[in-house]
Amino acid sequence: VVAEGKQLSEIDWTRNGLFVVFGATYLGGFQYWLMVNKYRQWFPTMDRFGKLPLAQKLKDTAGIMDAGKMVLFDIFIHLPIMYFPSYYTVKEFIYGDSWNPVDWARHGVSKYIANSREDLTAMVQLWGPSDCIQFALPTHIRMPFRHMVSFFWTAYVSFTRGSKTDSTETAGDMEEQPAVVAVVANTAE
């Protein structure tokens, strides 16, 4: 409203609903459970490594290995196999014509596959470096840090994949979203 100079009547409430539903359920619930509870089980040095000063972290081979495994898990399993299919499925729930969850998943995954090269490239470019920082931070700072980075990621996803007809029309959406373009362009520098 403020950044784009739009009136409340001009806001795409369906698009906002997509990001509220997805943000609350996936990012606010599932991702916390995965990255705090499950990572703590799978990567046993996570908490100890996070508490160490940088000089000691650089000497902690087991902690560095677990941090590296967390980055690899996030980049090769979590984001491409869990996050993106979930996002596209929720998008089909919000925008789709069917009330059948199987249709949401089928149509969502097919759109993800069509967009996967571009989506996965952008994901690695942002989350690869970000994860290297995140998984070296103390545990209590990791999720706030991730949410901060997610703000910019969500702006990018909204910009490129948030509208109802976005599968191949990313360039046209960019021209209509000057405020988001500025945010995304500034984060890329």
Side-chain angles (χ1 to χ4, degrees):
V1 173
V2 175
E4 294 180 352
K6 288 186 175 183
Q7 300 295 319
L8 285 177
S9 61
E10 297 175 298
I11 294 174
D12 183 348
W13 292 106
T14 304
R15 185 179 194 156
N16 282 302
L18 164 65
F19 288 97
V20 167
V21 168
F22 186 72
T25 56
Y26 191 90
L27 301 175
F30 175 77
Q31 189 170 265
Y32 178 86
W33 172 80
L34 177 69
M35 293 196 158
V36 175
N37 299 331
K38 298 313 287 180
Y39 276 26
R40 193 170 272 140
Q41 291 175 352
W42 299 335
F43 310 109
T45 66
M46 180 178 91
D47 291 320
R48 180 188 54 75
F49 183 72
K51 293 176 187 176
L52 295 174
L54 181 59
Q56 290 180 0
K57 282 181 183 165
L58 295 174
K59 298 175 187 174
D60 184 354
T61 306
I64 291 170
M65 292 296 293
D66 271 355
K69 289 175 190 175
M70 286 185 273
V71 170
L72 293 174
F73 182 87
D74 197 42
I75 295 296
F76 291 106
I77 305 228
H78 169 232
L79 294 169
I81 296 173
M82 297 175 196
Y83 169 83
F84 275 118
S86 298
Y87 167 74
Y88 280 101
T89 298
V90 170
K91 184 176 176 186
E92 283 301 308
F93 164 69
I94 299 291
Y95 281 122
D97 297 329
S98 173
W99 286 100
N100 183 345
V102 173
D103 290 339
W104 305 337
R106 185 178 52 232
H107 294 204
V109 169
S110 68
K111 287 181 180 176
Y112 167 48
I113 291 168
N115 296 324
S116 63
R117 178 178 294 249
E118 184 179 336
D119 288 349
L120 295 174
T121 299
M123 176 210 59
V124 169
Q125 289 173 337
L126 177 69
W127 290 111
S130 171
D131 281 354
C132 290
I133 296 167
Q134 176 186 343
F135 297 127
L137 292 171
T139 307
H140 69 282
I141 298 174
R142 286 183 186 168
M143 291 313 290
F145 175 80
R146 187 159 188 105
H147 295 313
M148 181 188 69
V149 175
S150 288
F151 172 80
F152 296 103
W153 174 252
T154 301
Y156 170 79
V157 171
S158 172
F159 170 66
T160 60
R161 303 286 181 239
S163 69
K164 187 172 184 174
T165 57
D166 64 5
S167 294
T168 58
E169 299 176 10
T170 57
D173 287 348
M174 287 181 175
E175 294 169 8
E176 299 170 12
Q177 304 281 341
V180 176
V181 172
V183 169
V184 174
N186 287 338
T187 60
E189 295 175 2

